[in-house]
Amino acid sequence: MLKFIRVIPCAKLAKLMNNMLSNRFFQVFMGDESSRWRRLNDGLPQGSVLAPILFSLYLSDISSTLSKQFQYADDIALTYQAVSFTECEANLEADLELLNRYFGRWRLQPNPTKTEACVFHLSTQQADRTLDLTFAGTEVQHVDHPKYLGVSLDRSLTYNNHLTKAAKKVAARVNLVRKLAGKNWGASAETLRTASLALVYSTAEYCAPVWLNSVHTSKIDVQLNNTMRIISGTVKSTQLQWLPVLANIAPPKIRREAAAIRELTNCRKNARSLLYEQMSDVPVQRLISRRPVWGLDPHPSTSQFSINESWLTAWMSALPINGELILDPNSRPPGFDLRRHDWVLLNRFRTNQGRCAFLMHRWGYGETPVCDCGADEQTMHHIVNDCPLRSFPGGLVALNEVTPVAVEYLSQLNLNL
């Protein structure tokens, strides 16, 4: 209670905390057998809402070190920047010894076997160089890809390893969403969109402000594109600009930039945070290709970054096929609430990509590109606009309005597109 009273000088609250944390007992059951009751003399209740706060309060007077300290609950990271390995080793070794004495004084037991060290630099000549460190009498193991708060790091901070692992995890979740949908059956677009944001995007965008400028982000984008194809029911040859519009989810790159700018803006507002200190004294950029996140510095002109405006600008400059059908990509496209079969068919007409004879022949799955009306090529454009057997009055422009007549046309079309 000593540290608690120092920070919060309230006798009643201290007494309440003491009553909650004192005289706690536990018993272990295995089958029909049980242990005797034992008393807990240390520690905090696992799963308690207050436990992380109380633990952080307990470590609030942790010894100051030459290294910068990053702490999340009981996970502590030390970072030191120098021009030589020798200097890093000397200072980190001294800091580890200082912390070890602090932990011993306050009856904390760190686990040296779980302590890891890694070096971040761009010198390929010293790529195999490791740090010679000991902690509590145990040699600190060197790892090439340490994991901190769910992010895998690497020597040159390319985040290749992290994004490779994340892409595999996202792919498994994409498969879960895929089971909810088919071409002619399945959940509505709204349900698929909600499930995708909860299952797929939450995993794909974890810590995005850290790695958004990595050259390996395409590994994540491939899986997000697959997710948007599932929501919209479009085929793989569909232009990528169409996928976010039909799924009604902003493009991955724009979402990541918005998250990064939001984080940097919040950082600038809290002058007491370590992140604020770091952003106020950024190192000189050595390689243009690295594009550090602070390049998105939220000055007054960029702090009002708008996903809607950025997406609209990107959509207007992309000019995809039939792009004039959608004036504002931020709005839900007409027909979003249609049943699965009609929604999928409508989107394949919009994107001019579907299982028509012309494309099936091009892909090697059909014998001829000819339409059964006699036209030389049965394209999606031909079917809805020109085919004397199946064209829709007013063509694709009228179909895109999704009137009751258009819905009836989609549901009764006798082609497996």
Side-chain angles (χ1 to χ4, degrees):
M1 287 292 105
L2 174 62
K3 294 187 178 183
F4 186 92
I5 294 175
R6 284 177 179 174
V7 177
I8 307 176
C10 177
K12 291 184 178 180
L13 188 57
K15 184 177 181 179
L16 174 63
M17 289 292 105
N18 186 59
N19 291 336
M20 291 175 58
L21 301 176
S22 302
N23 298 319
R24 291 181 292 128
F25 295 84
F26 72 94
Q27 189 177 26
V28 177
F29 292 89
M30 293 187 66
D32 296 331
E33 301 294 327
S34 62
S35 69
R36 64 182 178 86
W37 286 97
R38 294 179 179 271
R39 182 174 179 173
L40 284 172
N41 297 318
D42 302 303
L44 293 165
Q46 296 298 304
S48 167
V49 175
L50 280 176
I53 299 176
L54 293 175
F55 187 80
S56 296
L57 186 148
Y58 191 74
L59 290 183
S60 60
D61 64 343
I62 191 170
S63 301
S64 299
T65 57
L66 294 173
S67 310
K68 287 185 172 66
Q69 297 180 23
F70 297 87
Q71 179 182 339
Y72 183 82
D74 61 346
D75 201 343
I76 301 176
L78 300 179
T79 65
Y80 189 83
Q81 185 176 1
V83 295
S84 68
F85 283 85
T86 304
E87 183 181 350
C88 281
E89 288 175 340
N91 287 286
L92 287 173
E93 184 77 22
D95 289 342
L96 288 173
E97 178 59 28
L98 186 65
L99 291 180
N100 189 40
R101 291 198 299 268
Y102 171 84
F103 294 145
R105 184 167 64 252
W106 293 105
R107 302 179 64 184
L108 293 169
Q109 296 181 351
N111 191 342
T113 61
K114 290 186 177 181
T115 303
E116 300 174 343
C118 183
V119 187
F120 306 102
H121 60 86
L122 300 176
S123 175
T124 55
Q125 295 179 347
Q126 302 188 76
D128 297 329
R129 178 71 156 82
T130 61
L131 294 177
D132 184 14
L133 300 172
T134 58
F135 180 46
T138 302
E139 182 179 355
V140 177
Q141 62 176 325
H142 176 87
V143 292
D144 293 326
H145 302 289
K147 191 173 184 179
Y148 187 65
L149 299 182
V151 179
S152 295
L153 308 174
D154 55 87
R155 176 179 61 83
S156 54
L157 295 180
T158 63
Y159 299 101
N160 183 20
N161 185 266
H162 172 74
L163 293 175
T164 299
K165 292 180 179 179
K168 292 180 179 179
K169 186 183 297 185
V170 172
R173 295 176 176 235
V174 172
N175 288 333
L176 293 177
V177 176
R178 184 175 284 112
K179 293 183 182 299
L180 299 176
K183 177 183 177 299
N184 297 315
W185 60 271
S188 64
E190 176 62 34
T191 300
L192 292 174
R193 178 182 182 274
T194 302
S196 297
L197 289 172
L199 292 175
V200 180
Y201 278 79
S202 60
T203 302
E205 296 176 344
Y206 177 72
C207 280
V210 173
W211 50 260
L212 83 163
N213 285 330
S214 169
V215 297
H216 303 286
T217 54
S218 58
K219 297 181 179 181
I220 294 292
D221 291 344
V222 166
Q223 300 303 329
L224 295 181
N225 290 338
N226 289 337
T227 304
M228 291 184 283
R229 289 191 186 97
I230 294 171
I231 298 173
S232 59
T234 50
V235 296
K236 196 170 184 178
S237 59
T238 303
Q239 289 178 288
L240 295 181
Q241 294 87 348
W242 267 111
L243 300 182
V245 175
L246 298 178
N248 195 225
I249 302 175
K253 184 175 184 296
I254 293 179
R255 287 174 60 93
R256 290 193 289 264
E257 288 181 355
I261 290 178
R262 189 163 54 246
E263 186 70 26
L264 289 171
T265 302
N266 292 336
C267 160
R268 296 292 184 186
K269 295 178 180 178
N270 186 5
R272 299 177 59 186
S273 70
L274 181 58
L275 187 57
Y276 175 88
E277 177 186 334
Q278 296 294 99
M279 291 295 102
S280 300
D281 185 24
V282 297
V284 177
Q285 185 173 342
R286 294 174 56 190
L287 297 177
I288 298 177
S289 60
R290 301 312 296 269
R291 296 178 298 165
V293 67
W294 50 82
L296 296 173
D297 192 9
H299 291 296
S301 60
T302 59
S303 59
Q304 301 299 322
F305 177 85
S306 170
I307 290 182
N308 294 348
E309 293 179 4
S310 298
W311 190 6
L312 179 60
T313 301
W315 174 251
M316 297 302 292
S317 61
L319 297 177
I321 297 174
N322 297 330
E324 66 278 0
L325 296 174
I326 304 296
L327 299 178
D328 184 4
N330 299 282
S331 304
R332 289 196 172 180
F336 204 78
D337 56 347
L338 289 176
R339 69 186 184 97
R340 181 66 181 174
H341 171 271
D342 301 341
W343 167 247
V344 169
L345 192 55
L346 174 61
N347 289 335
R348 295 188 178 184
F349 278 126
R350 283 169 169 161
T351 59
N352 201 35
Q353 298 292 309
R355 299 178 62 182
C356 58
F358 173 75
L359 290 177
M360 293 295 286
H361 177 71
R362 171 181 288 184
W363 297 336
Y365 295 110
E367 297 180 357
T368 175
V370 176
C371 180
D372 54 359
C373 73
D376 294 337
E377 296 179 346
Q378 187 196 62
T379 64
M380 300 297 289
H381 179 275
H382 167 76
I383 294 172
V384 73
N385 288 289
D386 306 319
C387 182
L389 300 179
R390 304 180 183 87
S391 63
F392 183 73
L396 180 59
V397 174
L399 185 68
N400 184 65
E401 297 176 0
V402 197
T403 60
V405 177
V407 174
E408 183 179 0
Y409 169 82
L410 292 170
S411 61
Q412 296 182 357
L413 189 65
N414 61 344
L415 284 176
N416 183 21
L417 300 175

